[in-house]
Amino acid sequence: MPFDFPFRLARRWLAGLAIAAATTAASAAYPDRPITLVVTYPPGGTVDLVARLIGPRLSAVLGQSVIIENKGGAGGMIGGAYVAKAAPDGYTLMMDASNHGQNPALHSKMNFDTLRDFAPVSLLLRVPNILVVTPKYPVKTVADLIKLGQATDGTHVYFASSGPGSAQHLAGELFNFLAHTHMQHVPYKGGGPAMVDVMSGQVPVMFASMGSSWPHVRAGKLRAIASGGSTRSPSAPDLPTIAESGVPGYSSYEWNGVFAPAGTPPAIVNKLSQALAQVLKEPDVAKQLTDMGAEIVASTPAELDTFRRAEIEKWKKVVDEAHLQLD
């Protein structure tokens, strides 16, 4: 053994202590400069609206500016790639949505690894997808839709979505998988055009986000059949779930969560998670979110990690069954 081995070992140990001390000091001082919250979707959508609602409140809690930066495109993967490569110091965060758990099932090639490259911070909220139909369509229950969707006389049931691989598309494919129906998908370039055509009767069915479709239900432009939530929505307690209406195990949400680059110190991740929970408890924030049909979650980092892993596994089964592949 070389004579200087104990000294080299001691130097490494001291260097490790120095790094740990510096990390602890940085975590304790965090944040000491503005934070960028990258939204993985364009301005104006639900994810962007949620980010701009909580951003100023999060800034007040943390004592530093929170800058919203939109990097939309490719189902959230452009923004995801950007944040995956950012420094793991808590100053670049990502607000992502349901595609975080769906893209790994839909794409065989991604320029980041969803589980490896992001540290979960908090699952903020879930908004159930609800089964809606054009008012003149002869479907008033889930059983009616199953009967039509299982028909073998050559007729087809068509359902609209905001595009291939979207949350609405996969919600319909999940229904096909669990209810043994063979509804046909009609993709649109966005949820707005899809919903317009459902209201007019061009396509009769849609598994739409409650946040965007519920005002049209109230106005009588759409008929709500059932909620895709695992339990009835507090915003619509009289609306049964799809699961209780004859499709056991059905659950489909559009959700929003916050992530940091992998390697971000746990102390910073936990501080952010607690700050977000504090923001979501503010009465005006909670009211605005529940008014759009959201169920506030405010999870811990560990709970979000468990949730996203379950989402990835669920959608892999659906995608495999429907033979979907987007690349």
Side-chain angles (χ1 to χ4, degrees):
M1 179 184 295
F3 179 75
D4 67 342
F5 178 77
F7 297 99
R8 287 190 285 115
L9 187 63
R11 283 199 298 271
R12 290 178 185 173
W13 180 69
L14 290 171
L17 283 180
I19 292 171
T23 301
T24 300
S27 299
Y30 176 85
D32 60 7
R33 63 180 189 271
I35 297 166
T36 298
L37 180 59
V38 175
V39 177
T40 59
Y41 290 84
T46 301
V47 188
D48 180 63
L49 292 174
V50 172
R52 293 182 188 281
L53 172 63
I54 69 172
R57 276 79 169 186
L58 184 61
S59 174
V61 171
L62 294 175
Q64 287 290 339
S65 298
V66 174
I67 301 165
I68 308 299
E69 186 173 339
N70 296 86
K71 289 188 177 294
M77 291 194 291
I78 291 176
Y82 177 83
V83 176
K85 297 174 183 176
D89 54 12
Y91 291 98
T92 303
L93 307 175
M94 174 176 74
M95 181 174 288
D96 210 356
S98 313
N99 285 113
H100 185 90
Q102 295 165 346
N103 282 333
L106 289 163
H107 300 273
S108 60
K109 298 177 182 178
M110 295 173 60
N111 51 4
F112 57 84
D113 185 297
T114 301
L115 294 176
R116 183 193 64 208
D117 292 339
F118 300 104
V121 176
S122 180
L123 175 60
L124 304 180
L125 55 89
R126 305 186 304 178
V127 182
N129 287 307
I130 61 172
L131 170 57
V132 296
V133 300
T134 187
K136 293 182 180 180
Y137 197 54
V139 166
K140 294 186 178 180
T141 66
V142 169
D144 291 341
L145 185 61
I146 293 174
K147 184 177 179 179
L148 286 175
Q150 292 179 343
T152 58
D153 60 0
T155 60
H156 294 291
V157 176
Y158 295 93
F159 73 95
S161 87
S162 59
S166 65
Q168 299 90 16
H169 177 197
L170 293 186
E173 296 295 355
L174 178 62
F175 189 94
N176 274 337
F177 175 53
L178 295 176
H180 308 292
T181 52
H182 43 80
M183 297 184 298
Q184 303 294 305
H185 176 224
V186 181
Y188 284 78
K189 293 182 178 180
M195 197 169 299
V196 167
D197 270 13
V198 175
M199 287 189 287
S200 68
Q202 297 297 314
V203 180
V205 177
M206 186 173 181
F207 294 82
S209 169
M210 188 173 190
S212 58
S213 62
W214 198 244
H216 300 302
V217 172
R218 287 174 172 164
K221 297 178 181 179
L222 291 170
R223 179 191 302 138
I225 303 298
S227 165
S230 53
T231 59
R232 295 195 180 196
S233 171
S235 300
D238 295 331
L239 187 67
T241 66
I242 292 174
E244 73 179 271
S245 301
V247 190
Y250 188 95
S251 176
S252 176
Y253 289 90
E254 296 188 29
W255 53 269
N256 294 169
V258 172
F259 298 84
T264 301
I268 289 177
V269 169
N270 289 327
K271 185 171 186 176
L272 286 165
S273 182
Q274 292 164 10
L276 286 164
Q278 182 177 334
V279 167
L280 292 170
K281 289 178 183 177
E282 294 182 12
D284 64 324
V285 174
K287 183 178 185 307
Q288 289 185 63
L289 293 175
T290 54
D291 283 350
M292 57 181 276
E295 301 171 11
I296 296 172
V297 181
S299 80
T300 64
E303 289 168 342
L304 175 53
D305 190 39
T306 299
F307 174 81
R308 69 170 178 168
R309 289 175 185 273
E311 284 283 285
I312 290 171
E313 289 305 311
K314 177 173 86 172
W315 294 118
K316 279 183 178 178
K317 292 178 183 178
V318 174
V319 167
D320 287 346
E321 179 70 17
H323 305 292
L324 299 175
Q325 198 70 56
L326 298 187
D327 55 20

